[in-house]
Amino acid sequence: MPVPEFSTARSLLSARAVRARAETLLKAGLDGRLDHFVVDLDRLGPCADAVVETIRDAYPDLAIPYHARWRHFSVGGFERWGSLVHAAPFEDPAEQARAAFDLVVVSVLLDAGAGPTWRYEEGRTGETYARSEGLAVASFDMFVSGLFSSAPEDPFRADARALASLTEAELADGFQVSPTNPLVGLPGRTALLNRLGQVAAADPEGFGPDARPGFLFDRIKARAQDGEVAAEAVLEVLLTHLGPIWPGRIVLDGVDLGDAWRHPLAGGTGPTEGLVPFHKLSQWLAYSLLEPLEEAGLTVTGLDALTGLPEYRNGGLFLDTGVLALRRPEEAKQAHPVESRLVVEWRALTVALLDRLAPLVRERLGIKDPAELPLAKVLEGGTWATGRRLAKSLRPEGAPPLAIASDGTVF
């Protein structure tokens, strides 16, 4: 009898496990066995048409960048990171990559949903931003101010001492939080950065002698052969060394599974039966590290080994285009916890449907080679932007079609 796949705790720490369990739940949906959702694959064509419309409007030359945090750092047409590098050049490409890793790791970990009313006013431009863009600009400003560094002479970095001692009040000040400007999940965000500091201090192999997230660049570079590193290896490094930062959820055989949840139809055997991994923030981080790695001279291969991101813009796209429908529409009016079967189904279906949507988008754009438009660019071009566009046209404040009770560490 063959050994079942993904039967051990560590086997769930991979994009392949995310994809496999998501496919299992999609099959259950197509068979009509899910508790909360009905799937209509006939609506994938119109959904692809909506995505292509967005792409052609934003990228008529099809020069689409990766789906990455760097897009948010340049919101409003301001190249904030480029300006920083120009004004204060780093001593070598490796140190620039470490600083970029420091910035993007912290910023991505702060990039859970902000809520519909929170805003950030940027001092240098006078512009006001909300949601992911606002969180990005705010985290960039905190990084530049040296909030995440314990070395006053070296402010443009993040290290264990500063992260572990960061207070909720400091983070609230950085995000301009007030009674009239509330931010969802502030305690969870603070705790996540505190844990990052604690984990970095306890793991010199992963985070180096200075206990910096930026040293993960060196760990990934060490996996390269002939200047090439696989995207799966990038994610593996992140899941290995960042795994302990996640809130205590499901621990299996001593392994923190992080963004993994239970569903009775998820399949599997042995101790992992019924578990559905997503690793959304870790994969968002992996996508966001592609550019610093490439700028440091490495080539990242096998990009489509990573999955689509199971978050509310991509998931909302499928609901708003009718690919997915709630069995009980009244459930859209309730706030659902991230561990609920409804949210697990929604996220798993999103991952699996993105894999089916991407080829349709390429076909409509006349792109035959998937490498010319990998999933990392379909997401950016793309599904995320279309999900946001449709949400704005359908609901006040562009709210997603489902409400999630988030603690600031998942969505």
Side-chain angles (χ1 to χ4, degrees):
M1 179 181 295
V3 177
E5 285 190 290
F6 315 118
S7 60
T8 65
R10 291 207 171 274
S11 71
L12 294 183
L13 300 181
S14 70
R16 285 175 296 151
V18 174
R19 184 167 270 121
R21 296 291 165 96
E23 285 289 334
T24 298
L25 283 180
L26 175 58
K27 185 178 186 304
L30 293 173
D31 292 341
R33 295 187 292 121
L34 292 181
D35 293 335
H36 298 280
F37 289 95
V38 176
V39 184
D40 183 357
L41 292 185
D42 289 340
R43 296 296 303 166
L44 269 180
C47 180
D49 292 337
V51 173
V52 168
E53 179 184 348
T54 303
I55 290 174
R56 291 200 181 281
D57 182 58
Y59 302 101
D61 58 358
L62 300 186
I64 305 170
Y66 295 134
H67 189 53
R69 195 59 163 156
W70 302 100
R71 310 288 79 76
H72 298 152
F73 291 140
S74 60
V75 64
F78 301 103
E79 292 294 336
R80 293 167 181 81
W81 173 251
S83 297
L84 173 64
V85 170
H86 179 76
F90 295 94
E91 60 184 31
D92 59 54
E95 185 53 35
Q96 180 173 317
R98 294 184 194 107
F101 268 50
D102 281 338
L103 168 62
V104 84
V105 168
V106 170
S107 187
V108 164
L109 294 182
L110 291 170
D111 190 34
T117 62
W118 177 81
R119 300 289 185 271
Y120 181 78
E121 184 177 345
E122 185 181 25
R124 73 172 63 83
T125 64
E127 297 292 329
T128 299
Y129 300 104
R131 299 193 181 273
S132 286
E133 290 85 352
L135 294 169
V137 174
S139 60
F140 183 88
D141 285 349
M142 286 185 265
F143 177 82
V144 171
S145 76
L147 180 63
F148 306 126
S149 172
S150 65
E153 74 282 2
D154 188 10
F156 305 144
R157 74 177 203 174
D159 60 57
R161 182 182 300 177
L163 293 168
S165 62
L166 186 71
T167 67
E168 186 176 328
E170 288 174 318
L171 203 58
D173 184 61
F175 279 125
Q176 301 175 353
V177 173
S178 71
T180 59
N181 192 37
L183 176 68
V184 171
L186 185 63
R189 296 172 204 269
T190 308
L192 196 57
L193 292 192
N194 292 159
R195 282 194 294 273
L196 173 61
Q198 295 157 7
V199 168
D203 181 10
E205 179 184 356
F207 295 92
D210 294 332
R212 290 174 55 183
F215 196 75
L216 293 172
F217 164 74
D218 299 80
R219 295 273 56 79
I220 292 170
K221 185 179 179 181
R223 303 285 295 272
Q225 295 185 349
D226 298 324
E228 295 185 349
V229 62
E232 282 184 299
V234 175
L235 181 61
E236 183 181 340
V237 168
L238 298 179
L239 291 173
T240 297
H241 295 289
L242 293 178
I245 75 174
W246 304 111
R249 292 177 180 134
I250 298 174
V251 178
L252 193 62
D253 297 333
V255 177
D256 288 295
L257 296 182
D259 186 9
W261 313 90
R262 297 189 185 277
H263 194 287
L265 299 181
T269 58
T272 73
E273 182 178 0
L275 289 175
V276 188
F278 293 111
H279 310 310
K280 179 258 179 175
L281 283 178
S282 297
Q283 294 203 79
W284 174 225
L285 181 53
Y287 282 126
S288 297
L289 295 178
L290 298 178
E291 284 152 280
L293 288 167
E294 291 179 350
E295 289 171 4
L298 295 173
T299 299
V300 184
T301 61
L303 295 184
D304 277 353
L306 303 179
T307 76
L309 300 181
E311 43 75 47
Y312 66 90
R313 291 305 182 200
N314 289 325
L317 168 67
F318 293 119
L319 277 167
D320 286 337
T321 56
V323 180
L324 296 178
L326 286 166
R327 288 190 180 277
R328 293 172 289 278
E330 64 271 17
E331 289 183 323
K333 301 176 183 178
Q334 307 163 14
H336 302 276
V338 293
E339 69 272 15
S340 67
R341 287 189 189 179
L342 183 147
V343 173
V344 174
E345 288 178 11
W346 187 35
R347 299 181 77 200
L349 292 169
T350 297
V351 169
L353 289 169
L354 285 168
D355 278 344
R356 282 161 171 72
L357 184 65
L360 300 180
V361 171
R362 295 184 190 111
E363 178 184 332
R364 283 158 169 75
L365 292 172
I367 296 174
K368 296 182 179 180
D369 183 359
E372 293 182 19
L373 191 69
L375 189 56
K377 296 186 177 184
V378 174
L379 294 172
E380 178 61 28
T383 58
W384 189 91
T386 306
R388 171 181 276 189
R389 174 171 68 84
L390 294 178
K392 283 184 176 180
S393 71
L394 294 169
R395 288 172 295 277
E397 302 287 345
L402 288 180
I404 309 299
S406 175
D407 64 358
T409 64
V410 176
F411 279 84

